[in-house]
Amino acid sequence: MKTSLLFFALLAASLTPAAAQTQPKTTAAQAAPAGYHDMLAATIQDIMSTGDAVQLKELASKMERAAAVAPQDWLPRYYQSYALLIATFQSKEDGDVKDKQLDQAETALQQARKLGGDKSELLVLQAYIYQARLSISPMMRSMQLSPKVNEALAAAKELNPGNPRIYLVQANNLYFTPKMFGGGAEAAKPVYDEAKARYAAFRPATPLAPSWGERQLMGRLKQYETAASTQASK
C-alpha cells in the first residue's frame, strides 16, 4: 500500500506546473524525482518474485505509472511489457484475451524502443512475445511465428552475443518445437547449456538492467537431471 501511495505522490509531483517547467529533457536519471529508482527496484523485484497472473498485471500497471513519473526512462516500459508477457504465460484466460494482453505488451515494448532502450534486450523480449503468441495456438501459428522468434534472436545476438537471455529463449523455442521439425528436449539441451555458461559470465550494465531468466533456466536443467536419473534407474 505504501508503495502504491508513493508512486501516486511521485506522479502528482511530476505533473505540477513547476515540475513541468524545470524537468530536464535529457536523461532518465535527470528526469526522475527523488525516490524513483528505489521504487522502481522494488517493483522489479516484485515482478521477478511472483508467478501470479493477476498480480503481474497489477505490477504492469504500476510500471505504467512509473513511466509517467520518468518519461525519459525506457526501463518502466520494458518491465511493463515483461510483466504482461509473463502474466500471459501464467493466465488461464482464452486466446483472444491473451492476444489483447500481448498487444499491450508490444505497445509498451515499442515505447521502450522509442526511448532508446538496450536493443539486444528489446529484441529478446520481442522474441519472447512471439513465443507467447505461438503458444496460444501452436498448430496454427508455428509456421509464421517460429521464424520470427529466430530472426529477432539472431539480431539480438549480433548486437550482444553475451546476452544470456538470447540462448534461454532460443532453447525454449527448440524445446517446444516438435522433434520432426528439428526441435525437442535433446536438441534444446546444448543451447540451455550455452545459456548457463552465459549467465555465469553475465553482469548487468546497471542494478536495474534486465537480468531475468536464470531461475527459469536452472529449473529446466533440473528437469533434465531428473529425467536422466530416472532413465538410469530403469
Side-chain angles (χ1 to χ4, degrees):
M1 183 65 181
K2 290 181 179 178
T3 297
S4 298
L5 289 173
L6 182 52
F7 253 120
F8 283 121
L10 291 172
L11 177 57
S14 71
L15 296 178
T16 61
Q21 291 172 7
T22 59
Q23 188 179 52
K25 296 183 179 181
T26 52
T27 67
Q30 290 174 317
Y36 165 78
H37 289 97
D38 289 342
M39 187 60 57
L40 189 63
T43 308
I44 292 169
Q45 181 60 40
D46 288 343
I47 290 171
M48 299 304 160
S49 300
T50 184
D52 182 79
V54 173
Q55 187 176 0
L56 284 163
K57 285 188 278 189
E58 291 172 352
L59 291 166
S61 295
K62 188 175 289 187
M63 280 298 181
E64 187 171 18
R65 296 194 292 273
V69 170
Q72 301 303 316
D73 189 358
W74 66 280
L75 287 171
R77 292 301 187 184
Y78 174 89
Y79 285 110
Q80 178 190 359
S81 179
Y82 177 82
L84 289 167
L85 164 66
I86 301 303
T88 302
F89 277 116
Q90 300 297 330
S91 173
K92 299 185 184 301
E93 295 171 309
D94 64 36
D96 288 342
V97 174
K98 289 183 177 183
D99 270 325
K100 289 178 181 177
Q101 190 162 286
L102 291 170
D103 288 343
Q104 295 172 1
E106 291 220 47
T107 297
L109 185 63
Q110 289 167 4
Q111 290 167 327
R113 189 176 293 117
K114 289 178 181 178
L115 292 170
D118 184 310
K119 292 181 180 178
S120 177
E121 296 291 359
L122 296 174
L123 283 163
V124 172
L125 196 55
Q126 179 66 76
Y128 210 178
I129 291 173
Y130 287 146
Q131 278 190 348
R133 290 195 187 278
L134 194 160
S135 71
I136 293 171
S137 181
M139 294 295 291
M140 297 294 293
R141 298 182 176 185
S142 60
M143 293 294 289
Q144 176 191 9
L145 292 177
S146 192
K148 287 189 174 184
V149 173
N150 292 327
E151 288 169 10
L153 293 176
K157 187 182 293 187
E158 186 173 343
L159 290 167
N160 181 12
N163 183 344
R165 281 159 292 285
I166 295 169
Y167 306 92
L168 172 62
V169 177
Q170 181 184 3
N172 286 342
N173 204 46
L174 279 170
Y175 189 90
F176 291 105
T177 296
K179 189 174 182 179
M180 63 184 293
F181 296 119
E186 187 176 346
K189 180 60 164 59
V191 188
Y192 281 125
D193 289 337
E194 176 71 12
K196 182 179 179 180
R198 297 289 182 173
Y199 273 109
F202 175 74
R203 299 293 180 272
T206 70
L208 301 182
S211 61
W212 55 267
E214 189 169 14
R215 184 172 59 181
Q216 179 191 147
L217 169 66
M218 299 312 292
R220 180 70 69 196
L221 291 175
K222 183 65 176 178
Q223 291 178 359
Y224 278 101
E225 291 176 9
T226 301
S229 178
T230 301
Q231 185 66 29
S233 65
K234 289 183 178 179

